[in-house]
Amino acid sequence: MTKIEDNIVYMQSEIAVFILVDVSSSMRGSRIAEVNKAMREVPAQLRKINDELLDSHIVVAPMAFSSGAWWLTSDDKPVDPCDFVWRDVQADGITDMGHAFDLLYDKMTPADNGGWMKGRGGMAPVVILISDGSPTDNYQGSLKRLRTRGWFDVSYKYAVAVGGADKKVLTEFTGLADSVIDTEKLRRDLSSVVQAVVVSASKTASKYGSRTGTKLGANNVVLPSAADTNGEAARYNAAQVNQSLRDVDSRSDSEESYDGDDDE
């Protein structure tokens, strides 16, 4: 995408934000309602981030998984937040997390291989996993295969642990305990946490992302060298999540202080 500002033309690189949402039966009720509430707000927040970026541009690719996995974009590819409208999902079925990893594997490769990633250069993507339970399929084999994808290797990986989620599994996915956001420890409503993580992770990727890496993937594709900064990025993101939650508190306090009576 090209952005023009004050007669200066900027060529922007895409930052793909993949969001994997557990919609198994254990997410029924308030949990899936809170996820839906958060995701309805995410496009507007990402649009604001894009307005502030010059050399990069965020696109979003949400996926749901339970008994199987499927993408939630109408044209089966990452979309601009301006064009994305979240349609509420329902919770039912088992937790085929491995199937979700397989679907992600298929797309974390260049377009000429049937994927969604750039063939050379580009910026490291973001992958966010939201789950409240343990996988019911052979997720380990699928995760091992997913790790062979260079784009997954250099991605910024985060997980939102809902309720009694298996944090060991989520840490296996992210590779860093600091990248697992535990909703029980934060003692916040799930909607605020999900929104904070998606927005903060997107900001982190735009801050730490690099177009010029030296890591070689399959077929000698040059990948951005994000992996060596992932620990620092995870800590930065955790701070950003907490700041985002404080911002939510500030907005809530402002709304509560206004009683709707404008009479003097």
Side-chain angles (χ1 to χ4, degrees), residues 42-57:
V42 161
Q45 297 295 323
L46 296 183
R47 286 196 293 270
K48 290 180 181 178
I49 298 174
N50 276 338
D51 288 342
E52 299 172 359
L53 298 176
L54 288 179
D55 62 350
S56 56
H57 186 82

Side-chain angles (χ1 to χ4, degrees), residues 24-82:
S24 61
S25 57
S26 58
M27 288 286 288
R28 287 175 181 164
S30 62
R31 290 178 176 178
I32 200 64
E34 290 290 311
V35 170
N36 283 324
K37 178 183 176 183
M39 291 302 299
R40 286 195 295 267
E41 300 295 327
V42 161
Q45 297 295 323
L46 296 183
R47 286 196 293 270
K48 290 180 181 178
I49 298 174
N50 276 338
D51 288 342
E52 299 172 359
L53 298 176
L54 288 179
D55 62 350
S56 56
H57 186 82
I58 293 166
V59 293
V60 61
M63 178 204 301
F65 66 94
S66 59
S67 300
W70 56 97
W71 296 106
L72 296 173
T73 52
S74 57
D75 48 1
D76 192 36
K77 66 179 182 180
V79 297
D80 190 297
C82 291

Side-chain angles (χ1 to χ4, degrees), residues 15-21 35 38-47 49 58-62 81 84 86 126-130 156 158-160 181 190-206 237 240-241 244-245:
I15 301 174
V17 178
F18 295 90
I19 308 171
L20 283 55
V21 182
V35 170
M39 291 302 299
R40 286 195 295 267
E41 300 295 327
V42 161
Q45 297 295 323
L46 296 183
R47 286 196 293 270
I49 298 174
I58 293 166
V59 293
V60 61
F84 177 62
W86 176 262
V126 175
V127 187
I128 301 168
L129 174 62
I130 303 169
Y156 299 99
Y158 303 97
V160 177
I181 311 300
L190 178 58
S191 175
S192 296
V193 174
V194 169
Q195 188 175 161
V197 170
V198 175
V199 172
S200 300
S202 302
K203 290 181 178 179
T204 299
S206 66
N237 187 70
Q240 289 297 303
V241 168
S244 295
L245 291 171

